[in-house]
Amino acid sequence: MLVILFAGSIFFPGLFLLLKRCLKRIPGLRWSEGDAVIVSARLVSSIQALMASTAGYVIATSCNDIIEDQHWLTSSYILFAVPYFVYDIYAMYMCYWYKLRVKGHEADCGAKPLGTALSSYLRREFLMVLHHVVMVTICFPVSVFWRQGKGDYFQGVMFLAELSTPCVCLGKILIQYKQQHTLLHKVNGGLMLVTFFICRVLLFPYLYYAYSRYASIPFYMVPFSVPWQCNLGASLLMAPQVYWFCLICRGAFRLFAGTSRSRPPAPAQLSKGDPDGKAVQPPPANGYRAQKTEEETNAH
């Protein structure tokens, strides 16, 4: 157990540092420290998501009895992935730190780095940080010890929730670098909407449906047939997913509605009422600002 935990503790931070170094040194890229940190963090999240989804598929397809069958990969990957959630809290903070500097808020991240920037980060990303803390402090011991080796199928299906993460990460990168007008952003937004709904929102109703078939009881009777801890855990895990999905839907509506109404941007003109004669910049082509959309797509 300790060996697997140690391996995860080395793998995810080490992968982050390796990707950051490569992005800063590869000829033709040579990105700045901030750009390399932000993109590396998204790449690590995507790689972890693909690993978790692959493990989940192997586990789910290997269990014929959804309650009694066991697969060695279940507990092993849980142990391996736990350090990721601890690392990711730090990685998200580093991304937030460099975003502040890019936006010109050096006062927030320079004068009081641990006071202003950290407290601002915790306020902004409170739900995501809380989600990660719960995964480590509650979901980890429940999945490894409380289950007592039962329900590996359900754990494997829950790993498949990570399938939506690569789309979320790519969307964040495109928004960060103001690529909302591209076809890639629109296609990725559609995929993110579909995968997030299927893999995260429909996930828990499906688990209840699978148990109803296994126990040969009506779907609506499942909440009354399983331990109350299962209902509580499912409710607490599903609630933020529904909230994030609503934010994604709002962002997608602004993106596609704004695109349908947008016209080719006019060249910058001198404002008649501006005594300094500064150029007036056209509004974003997609009809909404990247900053607001970025907040709405913070689901990981």
Side-chain angles (χ1 to χ4, degrees):
M1 178 182 294
L2 294 179
V3 173
I4 300 177
L5 279 171
F6 179 75
S9 301
I10 297 298
F11 177 78
F12 294 109
L15 181 62
F16 170 76
L17 294 175
L18 176 63
L19 290 172
K20 185 181 73 170
R21 184 180 183 89
C22 290
L23 291 175
K24 291 174 62 178
R25 292 178 176 269
I26 291 179
L29 290 180
R30 296 191 178 276
W31 286 356
S32 65
E33 178 77 11
D35 290 339
V37 165
I38 292 171
V39 175
S40 297
R42 307 305 184 201
L43 290 175
V44 173
S45 295
S46 298
I47 292 171
Q48 191 282 141
L50 293 175
M51 294 173 63
S53 301
T54 302
Y57 175 79
V58 172
I59 295 167
T61 55
S62 301
C63 295
N64 294 319
D65 189 309
I66 64 174
I67 299 297
E68 299 297 336
D69 284 357
Q70 298 182 8
H71 195 285
W72 66 269
L73 193 55
T74 307
S75 296
S76 297
Y77 191 78
I78 292 172
L79 291 168
F80 182 75
V82 162
Y84 163 78
F85 293 98
V86 179
Y87 142 82
D88 198 45
I89 294 176
Y90 169 76
M92 289 191 300
Y93 171 70
M94 293 301 298
C95 292
Y96 182 74
W97 168 276
Y98 282 106
K99 287 177 188 175
L100 284 180
R101 301 187 66 176
V102 169
K103 293 177 182 178
H105 297 167
E106 288 84 358
D108 290 340
C109 56
K112 298 180 180 179
L114 295 181
T116 304
L118 182 58
S119 61
S120 177
Y121 160 71
L122 292 176
R123 287 194 304 270
R124 179 186 176 93
E125 304 290 348
F126 173 77
L127 188 58
M128 183 62 69
V129 173
L130 178 63
H131 173 266
H132 281 40
V133 171
V134 168
M135 293 296 292
V136 175
T137 60
I138 298 179
C139 294
F140 164 62
V142 166
S143 299
V144 174
F145 303 109
W146 183 76
R147 289 190 309 113
Q148 297 181 348
K150 295 183 180 296
D152 280 19
Y153 172 82
F154 294 101
Q155 191 65 59
V157 173
M158 292 185 70
F159 285 160
L160 292 173
E162 294 292 336
L163 274 173
S164 63
T165 300
C167 291
V168 174
C169 292
L170 178 58
K172 290 180 180 180
I173 293 175
L174 294 174
I175 289 173
Q176 178 69 22
Y177 297 103
K178 297 179 174 57
Q179 298 299 308
Q180 300 96 315
H181 62 282
T182 61
L183 177 61
L184 175 61
H185 180 69
K186 296 175 177 63
V187 172
N188 180 74
L191 288 175
M192 178 174 64
L193 193 66
V194 172
T195 56
F196 198 95
F197 178 69
I198 294 175
C199 298
R200 290 182 179 265
V201 178
L202 290 184
L203 171 69
F204 297 98
Y206 170 76
L207 294 178
Y208 277 63
Y209 169 74
Y211 184 80
S212 72
R213 294 189 59 187
Y214 173 81
S216 299
I217 59 176
F219 176 78
Y220 65 87
M221 289 298 296
V222 174
F224 305 101
S225 305
V226 299
W228 66 268
Q229 295 94 332
C230 295
N231 293 322
L232 178 62
S235 300
L236 293 177
L237 289 175
M238 185 176 180
Q241 310 303 330
V242 173
Y243 170 74
W244 285 323
F245 179 70
C246 292
L247 295 182
I248 292 173
C249 288
R250 288 171 55 187
F253 176 78
R254 290 192 183 94
L255 173 63
F256 292 105
T259 301
S260 63
R261 300 193 200 101
S262 63
R263 298 177 180 177
Q269 299 176 352
L270 294 180
S271 174
K272 296 180 180 179
D274 188 353
D276 297 328
K278 294 181 179 179
V280 177
Q281 299 297 328
N286 56 356
Y288 68 99
R289 296 194 177 277
Q291 181 178 359
K292 188 169 185 179
T293 306
E294 182 182 352
E295 295 173 0
E296 296 175 351
T297 57
N298 270 332
H300 187 233

